Amino acid sequence: MWASQPRRKDHCGKERYMSVANRAESLREVDLFSDCSKKELQHIARKAEQVDFTAGDNIVEEGSGGAMAGYAFVIVHGTAVVRRNGRKVAEIGPGESIGEMALFDDGPRTASVVAATDMETIMLSRRELKGIIDSTPSVAHKLLSELAGRLRKANRKLYG
């Protein structure tokens, strides 16, 4: 699905893989999941996967849909460049997310994101999140609250 997916190696050359606890702690740093309880974060973390990218890998492409549209990523290590209409609009790093709108609808990607450095991410699919919400409705309430806050902030920015 993505370019290269080598596992990270430590200084001894052994493969590293994030535990569920480490994934849960990384998710806590992301605004979208920051109000979730430890138990809820662990539930989400069990459904998420570690996905690594090398510098130059395309993570998501503006306007794309289909199979790639249903995934979001949380950056654990490394940085990425975000472009809209070919113009750099941001550089993002640990604790920030890529493509979180894809967790909620089938719309096309609103920006392209390319790994600026080697990256370690946590990937969550829309399908998995829907299952989590079905089994743990309190997660939906917390996510909706965060999304409403984002919408209010965007409205203030646009309309004063």
Side-chain angles (χ1 to χ4, degrees):
M1 186 181 296
W2 292 275
S4 55
Q5 294 302 315
R7 291 280 179 232
R8 294 275 192 243
K9 296 189 179 193
D10 66 15
H11 65 281
C12 297
K14 293 183 180 178
E15 288 187 358
R16 287 189 318 175
Y17 190 74
M18 271 187 282
S19 67
V20 169
N22 287 344
R23 289 195 305 264
E25 191 57 37
S26 293
L27 289 170
R28 179 179 298 290
E29 301 299 316
V30 178
D31 288 342
L32 187 62
F33 301 110
S34 63
D35 289 336
C36 291
S37 69
K38 185 175 181 178
K39 183 178 178 180
E40 291 165 339
L41 288 169
Q42 288 175 340
H43 186 132
I44 296 166
R46 279 192 294 277
K47 300 295 184 178
E49 296 178 41
Q50 177 180 337
V51 177
D52 297 337
F53 296 97
T54 56
D57 282 350
N58 289 317
I59 300 171
V60 298
E61 188 174 335
E62 185 174 2
S64 67
M68 287 295 292
Y71 295 90
F73 304 86
V74 172
I75 301 173
V76 178
H77 297 291
T79 59
V81 173
V82 180
R83 296 186 187 284
R84 290 192 82 178
N85 299 317
R87 197 184 70 166
K88 180 179 175 178
V89 295
E91 189 163 318
I92 56 177
E96 296 184 276
S97 57
I98 299 166
E100 64 273 18
M101 288 191 300
L103 295 174
F104 302 99
D105 73 9
D106 291 324
R109 296 289 187 171
T110 59
S112 294
V113 181
V114 176
T117 65
D118 288 351
M119 294 175 62
E120 187 174 319
T121 71
I122 299 168
M123 180 185 76
L124 184 63
S125 73
R126 180 183 321 120
R127 185 174 146 259
E128 293 294 349
L129 183 62
K130 283 182 178 183
I132 292 165
I133 288 171
D134 288 345
S135 66
T136 315
S138 60
V139 170
H141 297 287
K142 292 169 182 175
L143 298 179
L144 287 171
S145 178
E146 172 59 28
L147 293 173
R150 289 181 183 191
L151 186 55
R152 287 182 192 280
K153 183 178 177 181
N155 278 336
R156 280 193 303 275
K157 190 174 181 180
L158 287 172
Y159 305 113

